[in-house]
Amino acid sequence: YLQDKAEEYSEVMQQVSGGDLTQRMEQDGEEASMDQIATEFNDMIEELEKTTGQLKSYVDEVEQAGAEVESSAATVRQASEQVADSIQKISDDAYDQKDRLDELQTAMDTLADDIEAIADQHDSVDMSDSLAEIREVADELDTLTELSQETMAEAEEVAGAAEEQAAELNAVSERANDLQRYAQPLRDILERFETEAEHEFVFSVGPTGGAASPSSQDDDE
């Protein structure tokens, strides 16, 4: 009996070592010591099956989360790069406009000086209104120049922040890619093991974390 039972247990162990974690040793109540071995073995394999099933689901979620992070990071990175490029172009155009404003302001000041000189030379000519209007336009151009400078400075900060975000998201995307790559060897090993569906766990990878089995999820629903 003991020899037959030992061979039976040995066959179960071979199947388990081959990756079939669904196998169990049968207890028949004939020999307490053999039943004890079966109990301990079955408990151990039960725990191993649960752990392996949990890890399989964990790897699935890790790979999925990594792919989603990589995809999201790539999308946001592309948007950030587009924002940086657009703002840079706007900033370049603003520099051109500022240069033109500076030229116009200089021309206005020169014109005002010329009008003032003519008025000084000819007492009979009243050009005070024209001079005042030109000075007013020159002042407005000066205000526009200052606002342009402030706007360009702010735009460059935004562009710089967008470029920094794009660079950071590059790093995030690379790490997400590494995460998927590192998970693959673990998956390859876990694929060797066969487990029951009831021992496959569903992981929730996210801000709250945690894991739940299908049965517990059904109970919650």
Side-chain angles (χ1 to χ4, degrees), residues 96-110 141 145:
D96 292 339
Q97 298 301 323
K98 178 184 171 297
D99 290 340
R100 292 178 183 177
L101 287 173
D102 287 336
E103 292 174 1
L104 286 171
Q105 186 177 7
T106 301
M108 283 287 182
D109 289 337
T110 301
L141 288 175
T145 301

Side-chain angles (χ1 to χ4, degrees), residues 3-215:
Q3 183 62 38
D4 291 341
K5 205 64 176 174
E7 290 178 359
E8 178 186 327
Y9 284 3
S10 177
E11 183 177 348
V12 172
M13 284 187 248
Q14 286 178 3
Q15 291 176 313
V16 169
S17 65
D20 186 358
L21 300 183
T22 65
Q23 296 297 318
R24 297 293 185 270
M25 292 181 178
E26 293 186 5
Q27 305 172 35
D28 54 17
E30 292 290 332
E31 176 61 42
S33 60
M34 299 302 284
D35 285 348
Q36 180 64 27
I37 290 174
T39 298
E40 293 176 358
F41 178 84
N42 290 344
D43 289 344
M44 179 186 66
I45 298 305
E46 176 81 10
E47 187 63 29
L48 178 59
E49 185 183 11
K50 289 179 180 179
T51 302
T52 303
Q54 189 173 2
L55 281 173
K56 284 181 179 180
S57 297
Y58 172 73
V59 171
D60 289 341
E61 291 292 336
V62 164
E63 289 182 331
Q64 181 180 352
E68 290 176 356
V69 168
E70 186 177 10
S71 176
S72 298
T75 301
V76 177
R77 182 182 67 249
Q78 184 178 7
S80 298
E81 291 171 347
Q82 289 176 349
V83 167
D85 290 343
S86 297
I87 291 178
Q88 189 59 54
K89 290 178 182 178
I90 293 172
S91 182
D92 292 341
D93 291 340
Y95 270 112
D96 292 339
Q97 298 301 323
K98 178 184 171 297
D99 290 340
R100 292 178 183 177
L101 287 173
D102 287 336
E103 292 174 1
L104 286 171
Q105 186 177 7
T106 301
M108 283 287 182
D109 289 337
T110 301
L111 179 59
D113 292 340
D114 291 344
I115 291 175
E116 193 170 13
I118 292 173
D120 290 341
Q121 292 174 4
H122 304 279
D123 295 337
S124 61
V125 178
D126 184 7
M127 304 189 71
S128 58
D129 290 342
S130 298
L131 185 61
E133 290 175 359
I134 290 175
R135 293 294 188 191
E136 184 179 350
V137 172
D139 289 342
E140 290 177 353
L141 288 175
D142 184 58
T143 302
L144 281 175
T145 301
E146 291 180 2
L147 290 174
S148 296
Q149 289 176 329
E150 293 175 1
T151 301
M152 283 186 293
E154 187 66 25
E156 288 174 354
E157 288 187 9
V158 172
E163 289 174 351
E164 288 180 5
Q165 184 181 38
E168 291 175 358
L169 288 168
N170 270 329
V172 171
S173 182
E174 290 174 2
R175 288 182 178 273
N177 183 268
D178 289 342
L179 179 62
Q180 297 173 75
R181 184 160 50 86
Y182 294 150
Q184 187 57 47
L186 178 57
R187 169 182 290 285
D188 293 341
I189 294 174
L190 291 172
E191 289 299 330
R192 291 184 53 245
F193 299 103
E194 178 184 349
T195 57
E196 294 284 359
E198 66 183 62
H199 291 152
E200 299 292 341
F201 283 66
V202 177
F203 268 80
S204 176
V205 179
T208 57
S213 67
S215 58

